[in-house]
Short mmCIF file of all heavy atoms in Angstrom, two decimals:
data_model
loop_
_atom_site.label_atom_id
_atom_site.label_comp_id
_atom_site.label_asym_id
_atom_site.label_seq_id
_atom_site.Cartn_x
_atom_site.Cartn_y
_atom_site.Cartn_z
N ASP A 150 -8.13 -3.47 -13.23
CA ASP A 150 -9.41 -4.17 -13.08
C ASP A 150 -9.24 -5.58 -13.62
O ASP A 150 -8.84 -5.77 -14.78
CB ASP A 150 -10.46 -3.39 -13.87
CG ASP A 150 -11.85 -4.01 -13.82
OD1 ASP A 150 -11.99 -5.20 -13.47
OD2 ASP A 150 -12.81 -3.29 -14.19
N ILE A 151 -9.54 -6.61 -12.80
CA ILE A 151 -9.31 -7.98 -13.28
C ILE A 151 -10.27 -8.39 -14.39
O ILE A 151 -9.98 -9.31 -15.15
CB ILE A 151 -9.41 -9.01 -12.13
CG1 ILE A 151 -10.85 -9.10 -11.58
CG2 ILE A 151 -8.41 -8.72 -11.04
CD1 ILE A 151 -11.09 -10.32 -10.73
N THR A 152 -11.41 -7.72 -14.50
CA THR A 152 -12.39 -8.13 -15.51
C THR A 152 -12.11 -7.53 -16.88
O THR A 152 -12.52 -8.09 -17.89
CB THR A 152 -13.81 -7.73 -15.07
OG1 THR A 152 -13.90 -6.31 -14.93
CG2 THR A 152 -14.17 -8.40 -13.76
N THR A 153 -11.40 -6.42 -16.92
CA THR A 153 -11.13 -5.74 -18.19
C THR A 153 -9.65 -5.60 -18.50
O THR A 153 -9.27 -5.39 -19.65
CB THR A 153 -11.75 -4.34 -18.21
OG1 THR A 153 -11.10 -3.52 -17.22
CG2 THR A 153 -13.24 -4.40 -17.91
N GLY A 154 -8.82 -5.71 -17.47
CA GLY A 154 -7.40 -5.46 -17.63
C GLY A 154 -7.06 -3.99 -17.71
O GLY A 154 -5.89 -3.62 -17.87
N LYS A 155 -8.07 -3.12 -17.60
CA LYS A 155 -7.83 -1.70 -17.72
C LYS A 155 -7.35 -1.10 -16.39
O LYS A 155 -7.67 -1.62 -15.32
CB LYS A 155 -9.10 -0.99 -18.18
CG LYS A 155 -9.54 -1.37 -19.58
CD LYS A 155 -10.81 -0.62 -19.99
CE LYS A 155 -11.24 -0.97 -21.42
NZ LYS A 155 -12.47 -0.24 -21.81
N PRO A 156 -6.60 -0.01 -16.47
CA PRO A 156 -6.13 0.64 -15.24
C PRO A 156 -7.28 1.25 -14.45
O PRO A 156 -8.36 1.51 -14.99
CB PRO A 156 -5.17 1.72 -15.75
CG PRO A 156 -5.60 1.99 -17.15
CD PRO A 156 -6.11 0.68 -17.68
N ILE A 157 -7.03 1.48 -13.18
CA ILE A 157 -8.03 2.06 -12.28
C ILE A 157 -7.52 3.42 -11.82
O ILE A 157 -6.79 3.53 -10.82
CB ILE A 157 -8.31 1.15 -11.07
CG1 ILE A 157 -8.73 -0.24 -11.53
CG2 ILE A 157 -9.39 1.76 -10.19
CD1 ILE A 157 -8.90 -1.24 -10.40
N PRO A 158 -7.85 4.50 -12.53
CA PRO A 158 -7.41 5.83 -12.11
C PRO A 158 -7.98 6.19 -10.74
O PRO A 158 -9.11 5.84 -10.41
CB PRO A 158 -7.99 6.76 -13.20
CG PRO A 158 -8.29 5.85 -14.36
CD PRO A 158 -8.66 4.54 -13.77
N GLY A 159 -7.20 6.89 -9.95
CA GLY A 159 -7.68 7.37 -8.66
C GLY A 159 -7.67 6.37 -7.54
O GLY A 159 -8.05 6.71 -6.42
N ALA A 160 -7.24 5.12 -7.80
CA ALA A 160 -7.13 4.15 -6.71
C ALA A 160 -6.13 4.66 -5.67
O ALA A 160 -5.13 5.30 -6.02
CB ALA A 160 -6.70 2.79 -7.25
N VAL A 161 -6.40 4.38 -4.41
CA VAL A 161 -5.53 4.84 -3.33
C VAL A 161 -4.64 3.70 -2.87
O VAL A 161 -5.11 2.61 -2.54
CB VAL A 161 -6.34 5.38 -2.14
CG1 VAL A 161 -5.42 5.72 -0.96
CG2 VAL A 161 -7.13 6.62 -2.57
N PHE A 162 -3.34 3.97 -2.87
CA PHE A 162 -2.32 2.99 -2.47
C PHE A 162 -1.76 3.44 -1.12
O PHE A 162 -1.06 4.43 -1.03
CB PHE A 162 -1.22 2.95 -3.53
CG PHE A 162 -0.29 1.78 -3.44
CD1 PHE A 162 -0.36 0.73 -4.35
CD2 PHE A 162 0.68 1.72 -2.44
CE1 PHE A 162 0.51 -0.35 -4.27
CE2 PHE A 162 1.55 0.64 -2.36
CZ PHE A 162 1.46 -0.40 -3.28
N ASP A 163 -2.12 2.71 -0.07
CA ASP A 163 -1.71 3.01 1.30
C ASP A 163 -0.59 2.05 1.68
O ASP A 163 -0.75 0.83 1.57
CB ASP A 163 -2.92 2.83 2.23
CG ASP A 163 -2.67 3.26 3.67
OD1 ASP A 163 -1.52 3.56 4.02
OD2 ASP A 163 -3.65 3.29 4.44
N ILE A 164 0.56 2.57 2.10
CA ILE A 164 1.71 1.73 2.44
C ILE A 164 2.19 2.06 3.84
O ILE A 164 2.17 3.22 4.27
CB ILE A 164 2.86 1.93 1.42
CG1 ILE A 164 4.12 1.15 1.88
CG2 ILE A 164 3.17 3.40 1.19
CD1 ILE A 164 5.27 1.19 0.92
N TRP A 165 2.63 1.03 4.58
CA TRP A 165 3.30 1.24 5.86
C TRP A 165 4.31 0.12 6.06
O TRP A 165 4.13 -1.00 5.57
CB TRP A 165 2.31 1.33 7.02
CG TRP A 165 1.49 0.12 7.35
CD1 TRP A 165 1.67 -0.75 8.38
CD2 TRP A 165 0.30 -0.35 6.67
NE1 TRP A 165 0.69 -1.72 8.39
CE2 TRP A 165 -0.16 -1.49 7.35
CE3 TRP A 165 -0.39 0.09 5.54
CZ2 TRP A 165 -1.29 -2.20 6.94
CZ3 TRP A 165 -1.52 -0.62 5.13
CH2 TRP A 165 -1.96 -1.75 5.83
N GLN A 166 5.40 0.43 6.73
CA GLN A 166 6.44 -0.56 6.94
C GLN A 166 7.27 -0.21 8.17
O GLN A 166 7.26 0.93 8.66
CB GLN A 166 7.36 -0.65 5.71
CG GLN A 166 8.14 0.61 5.42
CD GLN A 166 9.09 0.45 4.25
OE1 GLN A 166 9.38 1.41 3.56
NE2 GLN A 166 9.61 -0.74 4.01
N ALA A 167 7.98 -1.22 8.67
CA ALA A 167 8.92 -1.01 9.77
C ALA A 167 10.20 -0.39 9.22
O ALA A 167 10.53 -0.54 8.05
CB ALA A 167 9.22 -2.33 10.47
N SER A 168 10.92 0.28 10.10
CA SER A 168 12.21 0.84 9.72
C SER A 168 13.27 -0.26 9.70
O SER A 168 12.99 -1.43 9.97
CB SER A 168 12.61 1.96 10.68
OG SER A 168 13.74 2.66 10.21
N ALA A 169 14.50 0.13 9.39
CA ALA A 169 15.58 -0.86 9.27
C ALA A 169 15.92 -1.52 10.60
O ALA A 169 16.59 -2.55 10.62
CB ALA A 169 16.83 -0.19 8.68
N ASN A 170 15.45 -0.92 11.71
CA ASN A 170 15.65 -1.56 13.02
C ASN A 170 14.52 -2.51 13.38
O ASN A 170 14.49 -3.04 14.50
CB ASN A 170 15.84 -0.50 14.10
CG ASN A 170 14.62 0.38 14.29
OD1 ASN A 170 13.59 0.21 13.62
ND2 ASN A 170 14.71 1.34 15.20
N GLY A 171 13.57 -2.72 12.46
CA GLY A 171 12.48 -3.65 12.69
C GLY A 171 11.32 -3.08 13.49
O GLY A 171 10.44 -3.83 13.90
N LYS A 172 11.29 -1.76 13.68
CA LYS A 172 10.24 -1.14 14.49
C LYS A 172 9.42 -0.16 13.66
O LYS A 172 9.96 0.55 12.81
CB LYS A 172 10.85 -0.43 15.70
CG LYS A 172 11.52 -1.37 16.68
CD LYS A 172 12.07 -0.60 17.88
CE LYS A 172 12.73 -1.54 18.89
NZ LYS A 172 13.26 -0.81 20.06
N TYR A 173 8.12 -0.12 13.97
CA TYR A 173 7.23 0.86 13.36
C TYR A 173 7.29 2.18 14.14
O TYR A 173 7.77 2.21 15.28
CB TYR A 173 5.80 0.33 13.33
CG TYR A 173 5.63 -0.87 12.41
CD1 TYR A 173 5.94 -2.16 12.85
CD2 TYR A 173 5.17 -0.72 11.11
CE1 TYR A 173 5.79 -3.26 12.01
CE2 TYR A 173 5.02 -1.81 10.26
CZ TYR A 173 5.33 -3.08 10.72
OH TYR A 173 5.19 -4.16 9.89
N ASP A 174 6.77 3.24 13.52
CA ASP A 174 6.94 4.58 14.09
C ASP A 174 6.53 4.67 15.56
O ASP A 174 7.30 5.17 16.40
CB ASP A 174 6.21 5.63 13.24
CG ASP A 174 4.73 5.32 13.01
OD1 ASP A 174 4.27 4.22 13.40
OD2 ASP A 174 4.03 6.18 12.44
N PHE A 175 5.34 4.18 15.91
CA PHE A 175 4.88 4.38 17.29
C PHE A 175 5.53 3.43 18.28
O PHE A 175 5.37 3.59 19.49
CB PHE A 175 3.35 4.33 17.40
CG PHE A 175 2.71 3.05 16.97
CD1 PHE A 175 2.73 1.93 17.76
CD2 PHE A 175 2.04 2.98 15.75
CE1 PHE A 175 2.11 0.75 17.38
CE2 PHE A 175 1.43 1.81 15.35
CZ PHE A 175 1.47 0.69 16.16
#
């Protein structure tokens, strides 16, 4: 939290990336 510096339990971290060939799954 930027206002308190305290951690935010339960926040959801969604990640996606291309593979080493530069392409996404679909």
Side-chain angles (χ1 to χ4, degrees):
D150 179 342
I151 67 165
T152 61
T153 65
K155 294 181 179 180
I157 305 175
V161 174
F162 194 106
D163 186 352
I164 174 176
W165 64 104
Q166 64 177 151
S168 190
N170 63 0
K172 295 182 179 180
Y173 293 83
D174 54 353
F175 60 76

